[in-house]
């Protein structure tokens, strides 16, 4: 095998392929010559001679055609495509070189196509003349893209540069990325300096520039985009925002006081571009300063409302207090919604401040709700009640001590249910369902169980009265409560009057006939009774009145059917009412307006002597 003759033939045909010219030797003959060279251990010589052909072609043919072209970039892209296409045909001719020689070498030799692409990069792209002209053109394209919407050419150039590297970013970084980032930083800094004297103009103009810069985001390499965003944030925002906020006649305070809705939204947009994990120790104080400005504005603008609410809180005027909170809530939420997006980094501190200002007193909120759910306290129709309850829930959301509210609410609910003071079951169930929506089932479980107890008790009493129709001496109504659900403290029993005791025992027998293994205990604290009492006016004129009294009051008053007078100790022993409860009950019957006193007593006018 004569290497020189075989290589001369191969070199001629490979050169023709690279020049996109007709080859004179068949593909099979070319392949056999390359096969024979490798077979006779001349693969290494063939490899390096092939490399030299590629190199000479690029230096002598391709490079001049590109550098002399008026349409430099299109010519570069076209030349690379033609060269890469020709490499495929060359590879097919010397395929045996790849399959046997290159693959068996321990040295890192490139496959034919990779070798050609590598040489194109080193001899063409990284050639100083080509590279410098490439940078000049890329620079012009960057400026042109910023001045117009025509960025397709720049996009194609970036794509080509990334492809040239075949996984290596060196060419892309050298010819485009570094240049692009430097020019971007220069452009951003120059633009920001133009508007630094006017805060309103700055946030608006910079936001507009950022919107125009978004065209680069659609085609830039992710790593380049990340670097660009860091430069953008530094040059436009973190370096200037403190100055902008503090400008007296156009800064943040001016925007807030003069209802500059658009400018505040622009400012918020800029701030939200700064990542939360930004490596800038100076930005946290800047954000706090901005938040402080907003919070101060809220306190200044609504100072009278806040002062009025605090006064109403001190006076325990729960109706006006909660209604004032409704009004303030509406205004603050409108302010926050109008000026600050819920996803904004400013919204959390703003929300926390609004939460603090609207945090209602637990007891007064419960009293307000009780006022509207209780019979006889309001003449508002049921539809309006639902609206009021919905407003109450909206304020309840801001309540920090929900467990304290739960305690007051359950006490009020218990009294409404036990004394039949609730305006309707529907309103009670509606409010409980809204609390469940806000706090979950565990928060309302006991309240729902209390309603269920009342419903079951009503059905039970209907059944009892139907069975004992005409047999009852007194009209008894018993509510059977599950102790664990109700806000019941320690139960202090007492001795009931005989008629009441007899009626209760009859009910107890009826109840145990339906439920075994249970215990019924009377709770005097929640019971009440209606008594007919005869009073004597002047000249012994009788006057009969119906008194609505508590269970303890009933036990005491009924004793006076047995005697005209009792000492405290006698009543204590005969009724077995707890001493503290007895004292309080006697005071309610003997102290107050003279026309409202049921019993006459001796002793100090202001308290019961024990």
């Amino acid at each position: 095998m004569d290497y020189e003759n075989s290589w001369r033939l191969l070199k001629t045909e490979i050169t023709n392929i690279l020049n996109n010219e007709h080859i004179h030797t068949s593909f099979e003959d070319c392949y056999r010559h390359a096969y024979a060279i490798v077979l006779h251990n001349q693969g290494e010589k063939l490899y390096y001679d092939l490399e030299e052909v590629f190199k000479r072609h690029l230096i002598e043919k391709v490079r001049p055609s590109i550098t002399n072209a008026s349409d430099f970039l299109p010519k570069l892209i076209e030349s690379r495509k033609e060269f890469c296409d020709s490499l495929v045909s060359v590879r097919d001719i010397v395929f045996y070189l790849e399959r046997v020689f290159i693959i068996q070498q321990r040295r890192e030799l490139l496959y034919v196509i990779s070798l050609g692409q590598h040489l194109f990069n080193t001899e063409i792209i990284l050639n100083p003349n080509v590279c410098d002209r490439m940078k000049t053109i890329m620079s012009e394209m960057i400026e042109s893209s910023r001045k117009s919407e025509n960025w397709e050419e720049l996009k194609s150039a970036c794509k080509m540069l990334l492809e040239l590297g075949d996984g290596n970013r060196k060419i892309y970084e050298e010819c485009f990325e570094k240049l692009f980032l430097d020019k971007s930083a220069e452009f951003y800094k120059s633009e920001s300096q133009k508007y630094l004297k006017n805060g309103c103009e700055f946030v608006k103009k910079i936001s507009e520039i950022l919107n125009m810069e978004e065209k680069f985001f659609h085609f830039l390499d992710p790593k380049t985009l990340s670097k660009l965003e860091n430069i953008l944030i530094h040059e436009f925002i973190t370096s200037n925002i403190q100055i902008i906020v503090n400008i007296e006649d156009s800064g943040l305070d001016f925007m807030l006081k003069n209802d500059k809705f658009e400018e505040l939204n622009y400012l918020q947009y800029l701030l939200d571009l700064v990542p939360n994990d930004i490596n800038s120790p100076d930005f946290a104080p800047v954000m706090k300063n901005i938040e402080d400005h907003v919070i101060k504005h809220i306190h200044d603008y609504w100072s009278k409302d806040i002062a009025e609410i605090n006064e109403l809180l001190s006076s325990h005027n729960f109706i006006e207090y909660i209604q004032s909170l409704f009004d303030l809530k509406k205004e603050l939420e409108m302010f926050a919604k109008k000026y600050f997006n819920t996803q904004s980094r400013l919204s959390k501190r703003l929300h926390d401040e609004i939460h603090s200002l609207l945090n209602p007193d637990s007891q007064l909120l419960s009293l307000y709700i009780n006022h509207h759910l209780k019979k006889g306290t309001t003449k508002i129709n049921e539809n309006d009640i639902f609206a009021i309850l919905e407003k109450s829930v909206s304020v309840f959301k801001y309540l920090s001590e929900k467990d304290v509210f739960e305690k007051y609410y359950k006490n009020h609910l218990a009294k409404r249910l036990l004394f039949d003071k609730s305006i309707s079951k529907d309103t009670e169930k509606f409010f409980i369902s809204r609390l469940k929506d806000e706090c979950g089932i565990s928060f309302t479980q006991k309240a729902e169980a209390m309603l269920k107890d009342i419903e079951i008790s009503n059905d039970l009493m209907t059944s009892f009265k139907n069975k004992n129709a005409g047999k009852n001496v007194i009209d008894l109504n018993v509510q059977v409560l599950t102790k664990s659900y109700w806000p019941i403290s320690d139960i202090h029993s007492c001795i009931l009057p005989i008629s009441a005791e007899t009626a209760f025992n009859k009910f107890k027998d009826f109840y145990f006939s339906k439920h075994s293994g249970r215990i019924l205990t009377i709770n005097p604290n929640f019971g009440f009774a209606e008594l007919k009492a005869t009073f004597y006016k002047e000249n012994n004129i009788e006057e009969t009145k119906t008194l609505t009294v508590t269970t303890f009051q009933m036990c005491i008053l009924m004793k006076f059917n047995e005697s005209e007078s009792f000492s405290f100790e006698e009543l204590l022993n005969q009724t077995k009412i707890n001493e503290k409860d007895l004292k309080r009950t006697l005071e309610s019957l003997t102290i107050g307006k003279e026309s409202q006193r049921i019993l006459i007593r001796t002793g100090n006018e202001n308290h019961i002597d024990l």
Side-chain angles (χ1 to χ4, degrees), residues 143-205:
E143 291 185 8
S144 175
S145 297
R146 283 205 160 96
K147 293 176 181 178
S148 68
E149 293 297 323
N150 183 20
W151 45 268
E152 287 296 333
E153 192 176 15
L154 181 63
K155 177 181 177 180
S156 299
C158 290
K159 183 179 179 181
M160 183 202 70
L161 289 172
L162 283 169
E163 291 174 352
L164 287 175
D166 194 26
N168 188 326
R169 291 171 52 85
K170 180 180 178 182
I171 295 173
Y172 171 81
E173 290 174 351
E174 182 68 26
C175 294
F176 172 72
E177 185 183 80
K178 186 177 184 302
L179 176 69
F180 176 71
L181 295 177
D182 288 345
K183 291 190 75 65
S184 294
E186 181 183 337
F187 172 74
Y188 296 155
K189 187 171 184 178
S190 172
E191 289 299 305
S192 64
Q193 293 298 315
K194 292 179 183 178
Y195 310 109
L196 269 180
K197 292 183 179 180
N198 188 303
C200 292
E201 186 179 14
F202 179 90
V203 295
K204 185 176 181 179
K205 291 292 185 181

Side-chain angles (χ1 to χ4, degrees), residues 305-361:
D305 303 82
I306 295 169
E308 181 183 346
I309 287 172
N310 289 332
E311 288 178 10
L312 293 170
L313 173 62
S314 300
S315 64
H316 278 243
N317 186 339
F318 62 87
I319 294 178
E320 291 188 23
Y321 169 74
I322 298 298
Q323 288 175 341
S324 296
L325 277 180
F326 289 162
D327 296 337
L328 181 60
K329 171 186 171 296
K330 182 179 179 181
E331 293 188 25
L332 287 176
E333 288 183 346
M334 285 178 61
F335 168 78
K337 183 178 180 180
K338 181 177 180 181
Y339 295 114
F340 301 98
N341 187 294
T342 54
Q343 303 301 319
S344 167
R345 66 193 304 151
L346 270 175
S347 67
K348 185 182 184 306
R349 173 82 186 275
L350 179 61
H351 176 77
D352 290 344
E353 188 63 27
I354 292 175
H355 193 290
S356 174
L357 291 173
L358 296 177
N359 180 24
D361 179 85

Side-chain angles (χ1 to χ4, degrees), residues 133-298:
R133 189 167 180 189
M134 168 75 80
K135 289 179 181 179
T136 301
I137 291 174
M138 293 299 282
S139 176
E140 292 172 353
M141 289 172 63
I142 292 169
E143 291 185 8
S144 175
S145 297
R146 283 205 160 96
K147 293 176 181 178
S148 68
E149 293 297 323
N150 183 20
W151 45 268
E152 287 296 333
E153 192 176 15
L154 181 63
K155 177 181 177 180
S156 299
C158 290
K159 183 179 179 181
M160 183 202 70
L161 289 172
L162 283 169
E163 291 174 352
L164 287 175
D166 194 26
N168 188 326
R169 291 171 52 85
K170 180 180 178 182
I171 295 173
Y172 171 81
E173 290 174 351
E174 182 68 26
C175 294
F176 172 72
E177 185 183 80
K178 186 177 184 302
L179 176 69
F180 176 71
L181 295 177
D182 288 345
K183 291 190 75 65
S184 294
E186 181 183 337
F187 172 74
Y188 296 155
K189 187 171 184 178
S190 172
E191 289 299 305
S192 64
Q193 293 298 315
K194 292 179 183 178
Y195 310 109
L196 269 180
K197 292 183 179 180
N198 188 303
C200 292
E201 186 179 14
F202 179 90
V203 295
K204 185 176 181 179
K205 291 292 185 181
I206 298 305
S207 297
E208 290 173 356
I209 293 170
L210 291 177
N211 286 331
M212 290 189 290
E213 287 292 290
E214 284 186 2
K215 57 177 170 278
F216 295 117
F217 299 173
H218 298 299
F219 67 85
L220 283 178
D221 173 71
K223 292 182 179 179
T224 307
L225 179 59
S226 177
K227 295 175 183 177
L228 177 67
E229 288 174 341
N230 289 335
I231 293 171
L232 180 151
I233 289 168
H234 174 72
E235 296 296 343
F236 274 155
I237 305 172
T238 57
S239 297
N240 302 311
I241 205 69
Q242 183 72 60
I243 299 171
I244 296 304
V245 167
N246 291 329
I247 297 176
E248 187 173 346
D249 58 353
S250 62
L252 180 55
D253 286 341
F254 176 85
M255 297 178 197
L256 290 166
K257 292 176 182 177
N258 292 276
D259 199 27
K260 295 292 182 179
F261 166 74
E262 187 179 27
E263 286 77 2
L264 285 167
N265 275 273
Y266 283 136
L267 174 62
Q268 180 180 210
Y269 166 67
L270 295 179
L271 293 174
D272 288 342
L273 291 175
V274 183
N276 288 324
D277 59 348
I278 186 171
N279 297 321
S280 174
D282 297 330
F283 192 68
V286 171
M287 275 306 302
K288 186 178 182 306
N289 177 43
I290 293 171
E291 292 167 348
D292 290 343
H293 275 273
V294 177
I295 301 308
K296 183 179 182 299
H297 172 76
I298 290 174

Side-chain angles (χ1 to χ4, degrees), residues 484-500:
S484 59
Y485 296 147
W486 293 74
I488 298 173
S489 56
D490 294 337
I491 299 174
H492 300 292
S493 59
C494 63
I495 298 175
L496 296 176
I498 294 175
S499 56

Side-chain angles (χ1 to χ4, degrees), residues 94 188 195 246 262 427 442 536 538 599:
V94 297
Y188 296 155
Y195 310 109
N246 291 329
E262 187 179 27
T427 53
S442 60
Y536 294 92
E538 295 179 1
L599 300 177

